Amino acid sequence: MVQPGAVLIALLVPTALARWDSRCYSKIDGSYCKDNGVLKCEGQKTVDFTKCAFYEDCDHNGAGAGVVACVEDVCDDKVDGSYCKGDRVVHCQGQKTVKFDTCAFYEDCQKHGGGLGVASCTEDSCDEKADGFYCEDDHVIQCQGQATVNFTECAFYQDCDKNGGGLGVAACVEDACDDKADGSYCEDDRIVECQGQKTVNFTECPARQECKKHGGGYRVPACVPDDDDDDDDDDDNDDDDDDSDDDRLLRSANLRGAAASEQTFLP
């Protein structure tokens, strides 16, 4: 007679294997296209994964009949020249990508930005603004002559406030500790120390660890091993969840220079 426990184990094993390596589970040995990359499977396990570049696509016959490979996707049907691909300027030669420029966060790729049919990164944040300081993607940008001349990236514990430096003057302001009493708290995967409603210090959790509000004891945040299956919400910004955690535990016991576009050359 088959024991109920054995049936349960038999039912759970495939699920556990799939979760352990779902990409190669049930696949025969070989290479496959997955998540725009080349996945190599052996013994139903992932032995290699190569992500295709943004200008490539995974093709099931990219290296021959039935041979998976990353192939050119941006320049494969274009004449020599420069083209926009997202926020990058791609340079094509011989139907291959030979170089690309990544636009700065305050720029946008325009297909005629460098002249008719010549793609380039152009000003996007300050092109219609008067001289002054503004917020853009967690940065304070300085506009002058409708161009970005400087910027400051706000720290993770700050937020950009359009009136943070005065009426109409953007600035980075305290965000993590602005409404908290002195003490230590979790902010994403970091432990921040608050004093006078300001962040005075912080500790970043190591890889594969996360910050838990009660990880070191009641209301003592600590970095603990990451648990993907933990549904507990330890975000201090949610007062209701904090109160639930507390009750349960009680019952049981600088300015940067203006950035140039990033340029990357391909071998």
Side-chain angles (χ1 to χ4, degrees), residues 15-112:
T15 303
L17 284 173
R19 186 177 299 166
W20 171 55
D21 194 351
S22 60
R23 296 188 296 181
C24 284
Y25 178 66
S26 78
K27 287 184 171 61
I28 61 173
D29 292 358
S31 295
Y32 301 85
C33 285
K34 182 72 174 177
D35 299 328
N36 199 36
V38 178
L39 174 71
K40 185 176 181 181
C41 299
E42 287 183 8
Q44 298 191 23
K45 295 180 181 178
T46 299
V47 294
D48 190 36
F49 178 75
T50 302
K51 184 74 173 177
C52 297
F54 77 91
Y55 52 83
E56 296 177 320
D57 192 21
C58 185
D59 189 329
H60 293 283
N61 301 307
V67 183
V68 175
C70 294
V71 298
E72 179 68 44
D73 184 51
V74 175
C75 294
D76 57 336
D77 59 354
K78 292 181 174 61
V79 298
D80 293 356
S82 56
Y83 301 86
C84 288
K85 176 68 174 178
D87 61 350
R88 299 178 176 96
V89 178
V90 176
H91 301 269
C92 299
Q93 186 175 322
Q95 296 189 327
K96 295 286 186 183
T97 298
V98 294
K99 186 182 73 169
F100 65 87
D101 308 320
T102 301
C103 299
F105 74 92
Y106 53 82
E107 295 178 320
D108 190 24
C109 184
Q110 296 289 335
K111 64 180 181 179
H112 303 301

Side-chain angles (χ1 to χ4, degrees), residues 7-261:
V7 175
L8 179 60
I9 291 174
L11 290 171
L12 288 176
V13 165
T15 303
L17 284 173
R19 186 177 299 166
W20 171 55
D21 194 351
S22 60
R23 296 188 296 181
C24 284
Y25 178 66
S26 78
K27 287 184 171 61
I28 61 173
D29 292 358
S31 295
Y32 301 85
C33 285
K34 182 72 174 177
D35 299 328
N36 199 36
V38 178
L39 174 71
K40 185 176 181 181
C41 299
E42 287 183 8
Q44 298 191 23
K45 295 180 181 178
T46 299
V47 294
D48 190 36
F49 178 75
T50 302
K51 184 74 173 177
C52 297
F54 77 91
Y55 52 83
E56 296 177 320
D57 192 21
C58 185
D59 189 329
H60 293 283
N61 301 307
V67 183
V68 175
C70 294
V71 298
E72 179 68 44
D73 184 51
V74 175
C75 294
D76 57 336
D77 59 354
K78 292 181 174 61
V79 298
D80 293 356
S82 56
Y83 301 86
C84 288
K85 176 68 174 178
D87 61 350
R88 299 178 176 96
V89 178
V90 176
H91 301 269
C92 299
Q93 186 175 322
Q95 296 189 327
K96 295 286 186 183
T97 298
V98 294
K99 186 182 73 169
F100 65 87
D101 308 320
T102 301
C103 299
F105 74 92
Y106 53 82
E107 295 178 320
D108 190 24
C109 184
Q110 296 289 335
K111 64 180 181 179
H112 303 301
L116 185 61
V118 181
S120 70
C121 296
T122 61
E123 180 66 45
D124 184 53
S125 296
C126 292
D127 58 339
E128 296 179 348
K129 291 183 173 65
D131 292 357
F133 295 87
Y134 301 86
C135 289
E136 183 77 20
D137 295 335
D138 291 328
H139 293 75
V140 177
I141 60 171
Q142 182 181 0
C143 297
Q144 189 174 315
Q146 296 190 333
T148 300
V149 295
N150 218 334
F151 70 87
T152 302
E153 182 177 7
C154 297
F156 76 90
Y157 53 83
Q158 295 177 322
D159 191 21
C160 185
D161 187 334
K162 64 180 182 179
N163 299 312
L167 185 60
V169 181
C172 296
V173 298
E174 180 67 43
D175 184 53
C177 293
D178 60 336
D179 59 353
K180 292 182 174 63
D182 292 357
S184 298
Y185 301 87
C186 286
E187 181 73 16
D188 298 324
D189 289 331
R190 302 175 180 91
I191 301 172
V192 297
E193 294 180 27
C194 299
Q195 187 175 320
Q197 296 189 332
K198 296 286 185 183
T199 299
V200 295
N201 203 355
F202 69 88
T203 302
E204 190 160 355
C205 294
R208 298 183 181 177
Q209 290 193 0
E210 60 182 342
C211 184
K212 289 290 187 180
K213 186 177 73 170
H214 305 296
Y218 178 62
R219 283 194 176 276
V220 180
C223 295
V224 300
D226 192 2
D227 184 1
D228 293 336
D229 296 327
D230 187 0
D231 293 328
D232 221 4
D233 184 2
D234 289 5
D235 188 350
D236 283 325
N237 293 326
D238 190 335
D239 294 335
D240 293 338
D241 286 347
D242 288 349
D243 292 341
S244 299
D245 292 341
D246 295 347
D247 293 342
R248 183 166 57 254
L249 283 166
L250 286 170
R251 285 195 300 269
S252 63
N254 297 323
L255 191 67
R256 297 183 182 180
S261 302

